[in-house]
Amino acid sequence: MEQYEPDRLSPAQVAAMRRSFRNGRAALTRRSLLRASAGGALVAGGLGALTGCGIPAAGKTAGGVSADDHSAKEKTVNFSNWTEYMDVDESEKHHPTLDAFTKRTGIKVKYTEDINDNVEFFGKIKPQLAAGQDTGRDIIVLTDWLAGRLIRLGWVQKLDASNLPHAFANLAEQFRSPDWDPGRAYSYPWQGISTVIAYNKKALDGVEVKSVSDMLDNPKLKGRVGFLSEMRDSIGMTLLDMGKDPAKFTDDDYDAAIARLQKAVDQGQIRRFSGNDYTADLTSGDFAACIAWAGDVVQLKADSPDIDFIIPDSGYITSSDNMLIPNKARHKTNAERLMDYYYEPEPAAELAAYINYVCPVDGVRPYLAKIDESAADNPLIIPDAAMAAKSHAFRSLSQKEETAYEEKFAKLTGA
């Protein structure tokens, strides 16, 4: 099990965090620009807190440390999630799927949108977790790499499979066994995140783009190509294009991917590395093609007939935001019941229809079709078998690798 130590981040890791706060997935909500206004405050406040001395190192924990489970007597569950990551009604005051869960079970959900960024949120909860204290939350939603770290630290509880029958049965195959939580003993995906190639048909003007190589090598696209400022997405897609497996790559493979992108930077092929703000460049045509997040592409396609996407033959990168139960949570059974509820096809379909990210629930398509047939037919929301087969995860990194890789990526991007 990983030993917890105070966070002392390298300059490259700080740069990566600043990219995330400024213009990465932390900068924008999944359906609006609201999070952009929070970025500056987080950089000014949260970053300083995380790069300081931290807290005294805690010893190894056994993991799965629970308080007495008060679920039977306290019909409540405290759920922390990302902003704009839940269905809402027209009044924007109610969450229909949560209300339906409460009506069925009698369990009230205290739903809080207090996760703006993985690193910032980790800084918020780590003092309690390191001290063996209750965070006040029964479910938290974290992206793969941080979910894996909390599992290694022993700071989240092992799930009781008997309370998760729908989750066990309906979890889509591509999400079943990540290297950081084999067999999903500690986590279940909230939603999947796919990284694809998006393009502007008008800006391409007949130029064919079917691969990362097309983006990097075609001189007709010089200065009109975009890559993401998130290392795992840009390097992962490049590794796939080079015939390397992002789940098994070596240091030499990583260096080769960096060199390939560096050549494109030096030649002026890549216009810039960006976060969610790539959407403006893609819509305007400043980017003819770019690496993009599928959830954004769904929204952009709805607004512009010129925007579309392709899945390269080499494959695409997939990750997920994941539900976990932190140590000392008071309502573990209630939390598991809520987690399982979102693996029933009907509430899963309602959620997918609203937020438009990759639904991790098998069997949801006919239910989604009743709500929105176009969404049910969209492989960016419900991957078909061919698309799911092209899905690849970026492997977990050691702390040493994380530092070295981010330093090289920061140099590449000029961060």
Side-chain angles (χ1 to χ4, degrees), residues 145-189:
W145 66 269
L146 184 54
R149 186 177 187 193
L150 262 64
I151 291 169
R152 292 194 302 274
L153 287 166
W155 286 357
V156 295
Q157 298 187 51
K158 192 170 184 178
L159 301 174
D160 183 346
S162 68
N163 292 328
L164 294 154
H166 297 97
F168 181 80
N170 295 335
L171 177 61
E173 184 62 35
Q174 73 183 90
F175 297 106
R176 279 195 173 270
S177 195
D179 65 355
W180 49 269
D181 186 15
R184 292 288 182 181
Y186 294 89
S187 69
Y188 270 95

Side-chain angles (χ1 to χ4, degrees), residues 19 115 172 253 275 287 314 324 326 357 379:
R19 288 197 305 274
I115 304 178
D253 295 333
F287 285 163
S314 59
L324 307 105
Y357 269 70

Side-chain angles (χ1 to χ4, degrees), residues 14-57:
V14 173
M17 288 166 55
R18 288 189 185 277
R19 288 197 305 274
S20 183
F21 282 130
R22 185 170 60 246
N23 58 14
R25 285 180 59 232
L28 303 177
T29 67
R30 287 154 171 77
R31 294 179 62 88
S32 76
L33 302 179
L34 295 177
R35 196 178 300 160
S37 63
L42 293 177
V43 171
L47 187 61
L50 287 179
T51 55
C53 294
I55 60 178

Side-chain angles (χ1 to χ4, degrees), residues 254-274:
Y254 185 90
D255 289 344
I258 287 284
R260 179 146 171 68
L261 292 174
Q262 185 67 60
K263 180 180 177 182
V265 169
D266 294 343
Q267 293 178 342
Q269 188 77 4
I270 295 177
R271 183 182 184 92
R272 69 187 183 101
F273 291 83
S274 60

Side-chain angles (χ1 to χ4, degrees), residues 95-277:
H95 302 291
T97 57
L98 289 177
D99 292 345
F101 173 78
T102 297
K103 184 176 181 180
R104 181 202 297 182
T105 65
I107 298 170
K108 293 186 65 175
V109 182
K110 181 182 178 182
Y111 183 73
T112 308
E113 295 180 333
D114 61 346
I115 304 178
N116 291 297
D117 176 82
N118 286 289
V119 175
E120 180 264 345
F121 186 70
F122 179 63
K124 184 186 297 185
I125 64 174
K126 70 179 181 181
Q128 295 101 316
L129 291 173
Q133 298 172 353
D134 180 14
T135 65
R137 299 166 176 88
D138 301 305
I139 299 177
I140 56 178
V141 178
L142 301 175
T143 307
D144 291 349
W145 66 269
L146 184 54
R149 186 177 187 193
L150 262 64
I151 291 169
R152 292 194 302 274
L153 287 166
W155 286 357
V156 295
Q157 298 187 51
K158 192 170 184 178
L159 301 174
D160 183 346
S162 68
N163 292 328
L164 294 154
H166 297 97
F168 181 80
N170 295 335
L171 177 61
E173 184 62 35
Q174 73 183 90
F175 297 106
R176 279 195 173 270
S177 195
D179 65 355
W180 49 269
D181 186 15
R184 292 288 182 181
Y186 294 89
S187 69
Y188 270 95
W190 175 247
Q191 295 291 290
I193 305 162
S194 296
T195 305
V196 299
I197 295 176
Y199 59 87
N200 184 313
K201 299 174 189 176
K202 185 176 181 180
L204 282 179
D205 193 25
V207 175
E208 187 173 68
V209 172
K210 291 186 175 181
S211 68
V212 170
S213 287
D214 289 339
M215 295 171 62
L216 295 177
D217 298 336
N218 191 329
K220 293 182 179 180
L221 298 179
K222 184 175 181 179
R224 298 192 295 138
V225 168
F227 275 71
L228 289 168
S229 57
E230 296 291 342
M231 179 266 286
R232 288 165 176 81
D233 295 300
S234 287
I235 295 297
M237 292 293 282
T238 304
L239 286 168
L240 285 169
D241 187 72
M242 297 168 63
K244 303 297 182 180
D245 185 349
K248 299 178 181 177
F249 68 89
T250 65
D251 288 348
D252 288 343
D253 295 333
Y254 185 90
D255 289 344
I258 287 284
R260 179 146 171 68
L261 292 174
Q262 185 67 60
K263 180 180 177 182
V265 169
D266 294 343
Q267 293 178 342
Q269 188 77 4
I270 295 177
R271 183 182 184 92
R272 69 187 183 101
F273 291 83
S274 60
N276 283 78
D277 53 336

